[in-house]
Amino acid sequence: MDHTLVIVESPTKAKTIRKFLPSNYEVLASMGHVRDLPKGAAEIPAAVKKEKWSRIGVNTTEDFEPLYIVPKDKKKVVKELKDALKGATQLLLATDEDREGESISWHLLQILKPKIPTKRMVFHEITKKAINKALDQTREIDMELVQAQETRRILDRLFGYELSPLLWKKVAPRLSAGRVQSVSVRLLVRRERERRSFKKASYWGIRASLVKDNVTFETKLFSLNGQRISNGADFDEQTGKLKQGNKSLIIGEEKVNDLLNTFSSEDWLVSKIEKKPSTRKPVPPFTTSTLQQEANRKLRLSARETMRCAQGLYERGFITYMRTDSVHLSEQATRAARECVSSMYGKEYLSNSPRKFNSTARNAQEAHEAIRPAGEVFKTPKETNLTGRDLSLYDLIWKRTVASQMAEARLTMINAEISVGDGLFKSSGKSIDFAGFFRAYVEGSDDPSSSLEQQEIILPNLTTGTCLEVTNKESTFHETKPPARYTEAALVKVLEKEGIGRPSTYASIIGTIVDRGYANLSSNTLAPTFTAFAVTALLEEHFPDLVDTTFTAKMESSLDEISSGNLEWLPYLETFYKGKNGLEVKVQKTEGDIDGKAYRQVDFEDLPCVVRIGSNGPWLEGTKIDESGNEIQAKGNLPMDITPGDLDIRQVDQILSGPSDLGTDPKTGEKVFLRFGPYGPYVQLGNNDQDKAKPRRASLPKELRTDDLTLDEALVLLSLPRLLGVHPEGGVVEADRGRFGPYIKWIKNENESENRSLKKEDDVFTVDIKRALEILAMPKMGRGGQEVLKDFGKPKEFKEKIQILNGRYGVYLKCGKTNVSIAKDTELEKFSLDDAIFLLEEKLKDKKGSISKKTKISNKKTTSKKKS
DNA sequence: CAGTGAGCGAGCTTCCGCTTGACTT
């Protein structure tokens, strides 16, 4: 009997299309991609681990051959698909018809290796008609589209896995770089630089309230003797002065008061009235990006919260797919939306003909519809029985979809000019003649019905020459504001406009840059960190093309050419990676060139200090004048909530002006100071005094920061060394912290003492004499002092004995200078001499291999040998 | 600009995009 297996991406899609297929069709989900490049060391197969390129997962010496593996969390899915295939007579691959979807189908083909007839099937609407049509029009996999995806994947891998290690070396470990994240971070950094260099400008204006026919309206001074009065837009943000060539007039406080006086004795005459009809069109239905932006603005949801909520609505059948870049509505959806309009608002609120929208974003792939209420008849928000956040989000989606099929709003814009002596005032009014789609939805506004009134600015009926009564007039003071930091919504908007990132990734991009310590999210605002400044400076200087906002757009157009057969993928990647200006060469050059310290440093032209990126957060380093009037170096941690744009001279002075006084020790009555020495920050009890003994000092452990250090913390540090008790063999035992961390000291007598480092599980402040004696009883760590788990002795063919030792990094095998780590779960009892010899020989081979590779590099231009 | 007790196998971190649950808190 015939049995067809259909594979789609998501379980929800599987469930939906199941309804439209014959009963002998089985639909399963792949859960997205089923194969990928190995993510890290744990996923690299042992067979290729020794290859130099294995870390990257792409064989850069053999035509960029990718190394694909099935990730752990996909093994189960793959097995289920394989099992289902066994009973099938036909396979249909029905993933999305975009680059990634085509690739998923191809990977499925590679893994499943079906021996039965296999076809590719695509549809854009889940209706009986569309699916039947798709069943009739199956095709083969589009290999050029798959090539384009693979090229994208490889390029992203090379970009990320070549640049990240460079940052580990030059800036800090565990940092990352990538095509999408690095540009995103750069956007934040550029905005923050603008905020730093922003110069405030201030100016004055005049506002008056006028009355006619009992209607009060506002007016503002526009010009004086024909010269326009300056407003915020006239000023240059970098200088705080008028932009070059700007002819507007800045008026100061004195002048404003003069004018107010003069105007008091003048007539306020209407000199010009202008009425202009105007219309507003509704915005298109939601894409992922616009949904995230509006939910952020109106519902205060983060991108991630929005997506989690939308996913829930999708799974329960309330809305269509939530990861899309399309603004398209299907015919039925358009009909359903129009039905809602007629029944809820009346036919006159319908647009004349069904409205169609085109995507404006770069790089749109449009495998789906816009995000809209699901079904052929839209449930009104009330009918859904949803509550809370779910209801709000559905309501938003419903309104936006319905509004998109509504009539234009018709407005009348009124401009009035009022002459007062030498001055000219302007007022503008706006009346809504027909609300149209405003009834349902206004972008950026919470409540469209109340905002209808807010949007109107009523002016009385004015005619030229009318004299107006002034009820109030006052001067107004204004200051220009620095450009605002990005909100999540604002960042997503730019990314989408530039074609950077995809609907499925917008939310996680923000997650990545926050996780890596490039930005902090506070009060809905993304503030870049000092690390972001340091990394961006490095990338801008050495890889300007890669962090250019147009890089992705250029890549996309190349990928389009690859998928249409007009460009070959291999030369494209070769140029990107191996070309004269290619990534590989530039990374190597940069590695050699840069003084790493220079990139762990952020300079500020306007501040007498540098910020250094330390292992424990950013540090401020500068100079100050000490008690004797000499200029000396000074340092300090930056408070956690300081962002580069906000750092000012006042804070710098405060951080650098030490010694900070932490308070008084209640026991001795002496003051406790925080100071900075050549080895870092430390605390000191009491003043330096020639006559007295040296004051007690203790350096700050890494975990403590100087900016929020408390007196109690300092006193605890100063309480060391702690006397633990007497040793049974004589002398006393103390616990202390030193150069190499916490340790115990057995002072046997005046000249003799023995020390041991404390173990990780011990705490220097709580360890007792019993434990100390235990540690002292252990053999001293050191040459040959490692714990021997097994000793194989010295076999004939070896010069040294072979041992299994237990060391800092776990269990390992040792023979002379050769060491090999042994896997954690190895049963040592069963571990034989042969096993040991095998591992040691493997390791030795490796060493030789790496030596010969090194020689190869130094003999420039030898052709690289094919691997055997 | 403070003052001090060693000795010594590494190996890993990271990208972007497609998808859900399975985990823990």
Side-chain angles (χ1 to χ4, degrees), chain A residues 292-449:
Chain A
Q292 285 176 8
Q293 290 165 44
E294 281 288 275
N296 189 260
R297 279 203 289 255
K298 291 186 176 171
L299 310 178
R300 292 267 142 185
L301 296 183
S302 70
R304 217 176 263 282
E305 287 167 330
T306 302
M307 292 315 280
R308 197 173 301 134
C309 184
Q311 170 115 19
L313 292 174
Y314 165 67
E315 284 170 4
R316 284 174 286 157
F318 288 107
I319 60 168
T320 54
Y321 195 60
M322 64 285 160
R323 290 191 276 262
T324 176
D325 52 15
S326 168
V327 287
H328 175 72
L329 287 184
S330 71
E331 256 175 59
Q332 292 151 350
T334 310
R335 218 176 299 134
R338 296 180 73 81
E339 188 50 47
C340 283
V341 178
S342 340
S343 63
M344 304 226 11
Y345 302 102
K347 282 211 157 56
E348 67 274 27
Y349 279 91
L350 272 176
S351 63
N352 291 335
S353 57
R355 220 186 278 279
K356 286 188 175 146
F357 296 94
N358 295 319
S359 177
T360 52
R362 285 187 192 182
N363 174 29
Q365 298 185 22
E366 317 225 344
H368 300 275
E369 264 190 83
I371 304 171
R372 60 163 175 94
E376 296 180 22
V377 178
F378 295 169
K379 279 185 186 157
T380 61
K382 265 191 190 158
E383 287 165 351
T384 58
N385 288 327
L386 290 167
T387 55
R389 187 179 280 186
D390 290 346
L391 178 62
S392 311
L393 196 68
Y394 182 83
D395 187 62
L396 202 61
I397 294 168
W398 185 88
K399 282 180 176 154
R400 175 113 168 188
T401 312
V402 169
S404 77
Q405 289 303 322
M406 289 175 77
E408 293 175 342
R410 290 195 300 275
L411 318 164
T412 302
M413 315 296 284
I414 308 147
N415 290 314
E417 289 181 11
I418 296 124
S419 298
V420 189
D422 293 338
L424 184 72
F425 283 71
K426 278 194 178 181
S427 295
S428 57
K430 184 161 84 176
S431 61
I432 297 173
D433 304 323
F434 175 65
F437 76 94
F438 280 176
R439 287 284 300 275
Y441 188 91
V442 175
E443 195 170 41
S445 159
D446 291 334
D447 181 359
S449 49

Side-chain angles (χ1 to χ4, degrees), chain A residues 34 36 39 42-43 69-78:
Chain A
V34 287
D36 195 10
K39 194 156 50 74
E43 287 185 349
I69 54 127
V70 178
K72 214 174 144 200
D73 60 329
K74 290 293 164 56
K75 290 238 157 83
K76 204 177 141 201
V77 179
V78 169

Side-chain angles (χ1 to χ4, degrees), chain A residues 133-146:
Chain A
K133 196 174 151 202
L135 284 170
D136 284 345
Q137 299 184 345
T138 56
R139 59 170 173 82
E140 300 299 312
I141 285 182
D142 178 349
M143 281 314 292
E144 279 167 342
L145 199 53
V146 173

Side-chain angles (χ1 to χ4, degrees), chain A residues 264-275:
Chain A
S264 299
S265 51
E266 304 270 3
D267 282 340
W268 295 60
L269 294 169
V270 177
S271 54
K272 196 173 166 190
I273 281 287
E274 202 178 56
K275 286 190 182 178

Side-chain angles (χ1 to χ4, degrees), chain A residues 660-679:
Chain A
S660 341
D661 190 342
L662 292 171
T664 308
D665 175 19
K667 276 186 209 151
T668 59
E670 298 251 43
K671 280 193 165 178
V672 179
F673 298 108
L674 168 66
R675 311 191 62 187
F676 293 87
Y679 317 113

